[in-house]
Amino acid sequence: MTETLPAAGAPTTPAPERHRRLRMLALLAARVRTAPLTLVLFAALWAVGAATGSLGAGPDQPLLERVGVGLPTLEAGRWWTPLTSLLWMPGIGAYVVTGLFLLLVGPVAEQRLGAGRCVLALTVCQVLGSLLAVALVRLGVAADLNWTQAVQDQIAVGPVPGLLGLAAVLSYRLTALWRRRLRLLVVLMPVVTMLYIGHLEGVRRVAAVLVGLLLGAVLFHRGPARPRGISHTEARVLVALCLVATAVGPLVASLYKDAIGPFNTMSELYFSHVPSAEEVAAACEESARACAAAHSTQRFFDSPGRLMAALVPALLLVLAEGLRRGLRLAWRLTVVTELAWAGVLVWLLVDNYDEFASTGGAGFLIQLMGEAMLLPVLVLVLLLTTRQRFDQLLPGRVVRRLGIVVGAALLLGCGAYVGIGWLVRDQYEPDATFGQLVAGLPSELLPPAYNALVPDYPIAAGGTAQATQIWCGVLFWAVALTALFLAFRRPVVHVDAEDAARARELLTRHGGSTLSFITTWDGNHYWFDERGEAAVAYRVLATVALTTGDPFGEPGARLRAVAGFARYCDERGWTPCFYSVTPQVQQEAERLGWRSLQVAEDTVVPLPDLAFTGKKWQDIRTSLNKAAKQGITAEWWTWADAPIAVRDQIRSISEEWVSDKGLPEMGFTLGGLDELADPAVRILIAVDGDRTVHGLTSWMPVYRDGVPVGWTLDFMRRRSDGFRGVMEFLIASAALGFKEEGAQWLSLSGAPLARVERGGQPTALDRLMDWLGRSMEPVYGFRSLLAFKAKFQPEYRPMYMVYPDPAALASISRAIGKAYLPHLTPAQGVRLMRKLSS
């Protein structure tokens, strides 16, 4: 399954997924057993509920008034209710869900905070959150807010506010990755449910979270949060979670009994409801057509057509999966969906202006429109702000197949509805015409609540007409959503998938420089010479064709590719720039009259005679010995085979690193999490006896005749509170393992904007690069990285940028900046300039 060095090169076999799940369940059970406070509270909740007969439907009214918290109980002098409300819940469903939530949060909180702080956080958040919620309701009543008028008589029970507050406190003790996610969940979901459900319990939860965030800041001496960086992968996850919240929150409110939230006015559009007997009676009093429509809708909900009621949240959840994967198609569809949603709201509000104005005047209409439009507007703002994060493209054939499947399903569904409807037109009330059937198509493809958009849609009365009305829309959306979800789950492949496969075959067969494997990363296009013997990987930014590393392919054709690629760019009006190339390519470019500039320093460690002996290797031996004493071992994995727990820790460590920088990860010649997924990339992790990952490195192969003869270091991350010296330990362990496999060398990769002194007079551009390297040092630490690599006694090899036209240096510099920081937002750009200027 895994192996411990020095047997670094042996194949690894991942454990079966079933065994992993069993181990995860066993680990969860072990954590629960070591959380006495969680077990005591869990047992107390169920014991008190059973003893007082409250498990079924919650405490009866006399008991609720003695132990529940609310404006009536506090005004009656029952000061103990903010605390006693913790021990009861409103029903069996709440007991089950809250119990699971307690078992999930409690053990982690006890481990990270300690039992004493857990008791303090739970109690303070429960009590102060309840008091703050009641105070807010009192203020709302005094301000004559309609919503709070309905809440003021409610009495609430349950420990969920305290648990949410505890989770907010716990977030201060988590890594940046889970701190963001947990805070987003514990803030967003209570806020959304409070605004849509509107009960006192929702107000308590929001208030308790606010108390928890403040308490955590006090306990752990955290001031106001300074701006933090965030990786584009994590940004996608957070945006997707926001979209999930906007779908699930209103959906839960729609299913909730007596939802009275201020934003619940248009909840019918999220989840359509079957008309009640009173609504059917009122429709029948209005007109014969309205009566027939109401009965038709009732029959619709007695069939599989009821699935259409949840169409909007189902669509949003599918789109959230696409956003999580960073897909541009999902981003565009989400924007269209939110715009359509906002358009429908505006149309309904304008169309019913007279009714709303007569109910509460123009002020009521403005308030209603503001409440209804707030959610889609906020989602649109979020999507537009983060649009640069969603740059992943689906393969063209997948998009075409998706379009064909959805288009065919739409055509067949609409054709069946109109065609069959025309054949049985006498089964509609009144008899349907062909034009009415065509005009009624929107009512077939949208949830029942949207029928108001189609006032003259045909009403099915007969059996065949009803079946057509039920199944055409359901089957279309079942096909469309399934096809969309499967397309989103497809692997995101290279922009030029066929060329990428051809280039990789050429690279594997003939090899290249230490950085040539970077040419397989997403975002590159490929140029091949006439004979197909050599290739150049490049990306076009504005009018600059920026390459990645040396040309690769047959050794005799590599240098000739420089001139060939230059001609190719000239034909298209591009400025070619070879970046991070070896001295051989630099010399060939200078022979063509090009300029060159050193941009990095490659560090190569020969392996055949490597031995960590002598004084110069003292730091490396110390790291190896300390790791052995602390029970830390090195294990090889690939991303696909690594256990879920290992992958999750890797993501968390990486996100913590990005957060501490306050700026996005660099790309181009520096890999991130996405590049770990390549099956040819090997990951070496340092783990202790508790399976805690202290650090990791990733290694890219350098081929010759189809066999790796060297390895290049790419991804390096270490846990902030982990084993000191973990990077030295990992690199030394990798070197020993690669040496045993027969590799000739390993490269510690290039250190950008850093170089060693080789004598000679530096040029003006060299001095400019030195200044830029010094300026960037506090931000990304390139020179410190070069100093660290010096511990391994490497051979230093300069890496150059070569370009034909000095006049294009400004545009080349902008292209390089865009390549390294493709997701830099304007705010982060300002922050970066401030750091550089300071």
Side-chain angles (χ1 to χ4, degrees):
M1 182 184 72
T2 66
E3 57 179 280
T4 301
L5 287 172
T12 62
T13 303
E17 187 65 25
R18 184 173 60 87
H19 292 170
R20 293 182 188 174
R21 292 174 181 173
L22 290 175
R23 285 199 302 271
M24 291 177 64
L25 290 174
L27 179 61
L28 178 61
R31 286 194 173 186
V32 170
R33 287 196 299 271
T34 58
L37 174 63
T38 300
L39 293 176
V40 168
L41 181 57
F42 183 85
L45 288 172
W46 286 86
V48 170
T52 58
S54 305
L55 291 181
D60 55 28
Q61 190 63 29
L63 179 60
L64 180 65
E65 293 175 354
R66 291 197 302 272
V67 301
V69 64
L71 198 56
T73 59
L74 290 178
E75 287 181 342
R78 301 187 182 99
W79 53 265
W80 58 85
T81 54
L83 184 60
T84 56
S85 64
L86 186 147
L87 294 175
W88 278 269
M89 279 178 275
I92 186 62
Y95 274 97
V96 174
V97 174
T98 305
L100 293 175
F101 183 43
L102 172 61
L103 295 178
L104 182 64
V105 175
V108 180
E110 288 193 61
Q111 179 186 11
R112 298 297 180 98
L113 303 178
R117 281 178 173 168
C118 280
V119 172
L120 173 66
L122 182 65
T123 305
V124 168
C125 293
Q126 179 78 15
V127 173
L128 293 186
S130 298
L131 293 175
L132 177 59
V134 173
L136 291 175
V137 172
R138 165 73 79 170
L139 288 175
V141 172
D144 198 27
L145 296 179
N146 294 333
W147 164 48
T148 54
Q149 298 286 348
V151 176
Q152 62 176 330
D153 295 328
Q154 292 184 354
I155 302 174
V157 291
V160 175
L163 291 175
L164 287 171
L166 176 62
V169 176
L170 173 63
S171 69
Y172 284 91
R173 303 297 293 171
L174 300 179
T175 61
L177 177 73
W178 288 105
R179 181 165 60 248
R180 284 197 189 99
R181 293 182 181 182
L182 183 59
R183 287 181 181 175
L184 182 68
L185 290 174
V186 300
V187 171
L188 192 59
M189 290 304 294
V191 168
V192 170
T193 53
M194 179 189 73
L195 293 176
Y196 280 89
I197 297 176
H199 290 188
L200 176 62
E201 180 63 16
V203 186
R204 291 175 69 216
R205 293 173 183 178
V206 173
V209 169
L210 295 177
V211 172
L213 291 173
L214 180 62
L215 179 62
V218 172
L219 289 177
F220 301 106
H221 308 289
R222 298 283 179 89
R226 64 179 179 87
R228 292 283 189 174
I230 181 173
S231 69
H232 55 275
T233 302
E234 179 62 11
R236 295 165 182 168
V237 171
L238 297 181
V239 173
L241 287 176
C242 288
L243 189 63
V244 169
T246 64
V248 174
L251 175 62
V252 172
S254 299
L255 299 173
Y256 208 91
K257 182 180 179 181
D258 300 327
I260 54 175
F263 288 5
N264 197 43
T265 311
M266 299 293 179
S267 63
E268 182 81 6
L269 299 179
Y270 272 98
F271 187 82
S272 302
H273 290 282
V274 58
S276 64
E278 294 78 8
E279 291 171 330
V280 172
C284 290
E285 291 178 0
E286 178 183 342
S287 66
R289 175 177 172 79
C291 184
H295 285 292
S296 176
T297 304
Q298 277 189 326
R299 292 193 297 269
F300 188 83
F301 275 93
D302 290 334
S303 71
R306 71 179 62 188
L307 297 174
M308 290 287 288
L311 173 60
V312 173
L315 176 60
L316 292 178
L317 291 176
V318 171
L319 293 175
E321 171 61 16
L323 293 178
R324 185 187 69 83
R325 291 173 55 78
L327 295 173
R328 186 177 301 171
L329 176 62
W331 184 88
R332 290 173 175 171
L333 291 176
T334 307
V335 169
V336 171
T337 301
E338 295 297 332
L339 287 174
W341 167 253
V344 168
L345 290 175
V346 171
W347 185 89
L348 287 174
L349 292 170
V350 171
D351 188 61
N352 295 276
Y353 173 82
D354 293 337
E355 179 183 348
F356 292 137
S358 62
T359 301
F364 175 73
L365 179 63
I366 294 174
Q367 175 187 351
L368 187 64
M369 191 166 184
E371 293 173 355
M373 293 293 291
L374 182 61
L375 196 59
V377 168
L378 289 178
V379 173
L380 281 171
V381 170
L382 177 64
L383 290 170
L384 294 174
T385 304
T386 59
R387 63 188 181 278
Q388 291 181 325
R389 309 282 188 171
F390 304 95
D391 56 358
Q392 299 298 301
L393 299 177
L394 285 172
R397 65 181 184 277
V398 173
V399 176
R400 289 190 295 271
R401 188 182 304 142
L402 175 63
I404 292 172
V405 170
V406 175
L410 179 61
L411 185 62
L412 289 174
C414 294
Y417 174 75
V418 174
I420 298 175
W422 170 248
L423 294 176
V424 294
R425 53 190 177 275
D426 57 334
Q427 294 187 12
Y428 291 89
E429 297 181 1
D431 292 356
T433 66
F434 184 83
Q436 288 175 331
L437 289 169
V438 173
L441 280 174
S443 69
E444 176 65 17
L445 300 175
L446 294 174
Y450 289 77
N451 287 341
L453 299 174
V454 193
D456 296 326
Y457 72 95
I459 300 171
T464 303
Q466 291 175 11
T468 303
Q469 187 179 55
I470 291 168
W471 286 106
C472 288
V474 171
L475 292 178
F476 162 71
W477 280 110
V479 171
L481 292 180
T482 302
L484 197 61
F485 180 77
L486 293 178
F488 289 164
R489 296 291 296 174
R490 294 273 184 180
V492 177
V493 300
H494 206 282
V495 174
D496 297 325
E498 294 181 0
D499 284 350
R502 180 183 173 191
R504 180 176 284 238
E505 192 277 331
L506 199 63
L507 176 67
T508 304
R509 183 167 14 117
H510 298 292
S513 67
T514 58
L515 292 183
S516 289
F517 193 82
I518 293 177
T519 62
T520 65
W521 291 355
D522 193 29
N524 289 318
H525 299 268
Y526 298 94
W527 170 87
F528 299 91
D529 67 359
E530 296 83 355
R531 301 179 181 177
E533 297 174 345
V536 173
Y538 69 96
R539 61 190 70 194
V540 180
L541 300 168
T543 59
V544 177
L546 192 61
T547 76
T548 306
D550 286 7
F552 55 92
E554 292 188 7
R558 294 178 192 174
L559 295 183
R560 294 197 304 270
V562 176
F565 181 69
R567 290 191 298 270
Y568 174 79
C569 293
D570 185 61
E571 293 171 357
R572 287 155 178 78
W574 300 338
T575 300
C577 175
F578 283 85
Y579 191 84
S580 290
V581 297
T582 60
Q584 291 79 12
V585 174
Q586 179 235 6
Q587 293 167 11
E588 176 66 16
E590 288 186 344
R591 190 182 65 81
L592 299 174
W594 290 21
R595 303 294 183 92
S596 65
L597 176 66
Q598 185 178 346
V599 293
E601 195 77 56
D602 195 5
T603 46
V604 178
V605 180
L607 295 179
D609 300 323
L610 179 67
F612 298 131
T613 58
K615 185 177 181 180
K616 62 182 181 180
W617 296 103
Q618 180 62 46
D619 289 346
I620 307 304
R621 289 198 304 273
T622 299
S623 298
L624 291 170
N625 293 335
K626 283 185 177 180
K629 290 179 181 179
Q630 296 184 26
I632 294 176
T633 58
E635 293 179 359
W636 286 107
W637 290 99
T638 62
W639 183 259
D641 294 337
I644 294 175
V646 169
R647 294 202 298 259
D648 181 69
Q649 290 186 74
I650 290 174
R651 291 191 190 97
S652 182
I653 291 171
S654 178
E655 191 62 32
E656 181 182 20
W657 183 89
V658 175
S659 178
D660 288 339
K661 293 294 181 186
L663 290 169
E665 291 179 278
M666 281 189 163
F668 191 30
T669 62
L670 301 170
L673 284 173
D674 293 341
E675 284 70 37
L676 296 182
D678 194 304
V681 173
R682 296 171 64 179
I683 304 171
L684 186 63
I685 63 172
V687 292
D688 60 20
D690 296 328
R691 303 301 298 168
T692 298
V693 178
H694 290 251
L696 71 143
T697 56
S698 74
W699 299 87
M700 304 180 295
V702 181
Y703 296 101
R704 184 189 302 156
D705 299 326
V707 178
V709 294
W711 295 85
T712 300
L713 176 63
D714 177 34
F715 192 79
M716 290 196 303
R717 295 288 188 270
R718 67 178 182 87
R719 188 180 294 275
S720 60
D721 57 350
F723 161 61
R724 293 179 62 86
V726 67
M727 285 296 109
E728 291 91 337
F729 165 70
L730 284 171
I731 294 175
S733 300
L736 293 175
F738 290 140
K739 175 184 176 181
E740 186 171 308
E741 294 176 6
Q744 298 300 304
W745 47 264
L746 62 80
S747 168
L748 302 181
S749 194
L753 300 178
R755 64 189 181 95
V756 297
E757 291 294 336
R758 292 184 171 87
Q761 185 66 27
T763 65
L765 285 178
D766 287 331
R767 290 193 295 271
L768 176 62
M769 297 296 287
D770 290 341
W771 170 83
L772 187 57
R774 288 192 299 271
S775 301
M776 294 286 285
E777 181 63 23
V779 184
Y780 286 106
F782 295 133
R783 295 188 166 208
S784 300
L785 180 61
L786 183 62
F788 165 78
K789 293 175 180 179
K791 296 180 180 181
F792 295 90
Q793 315 303 317
E795 297 176 359
Y796 294 101
R797 301 176 182 178
M799 307 181 79
Y800 295 95
M801 177 182 76
V802 294
Y803 54 98
D805 185 6
L809 190 57
S811 59
I812 291 174
S813 300
R814 287 193 296 270
I816 293 172
K818 181 64 176 176
Y820 268 116
L821 294 170
H823 302 288
L824 185 70
T825 64
Q828 291 171 333
V830 172
R831 200 178 310 144
L832 175 59
M833 295 306 297
R834 287 176 179 172
K835 289 188 175 184
L836 293 179
S837 62
S838 64

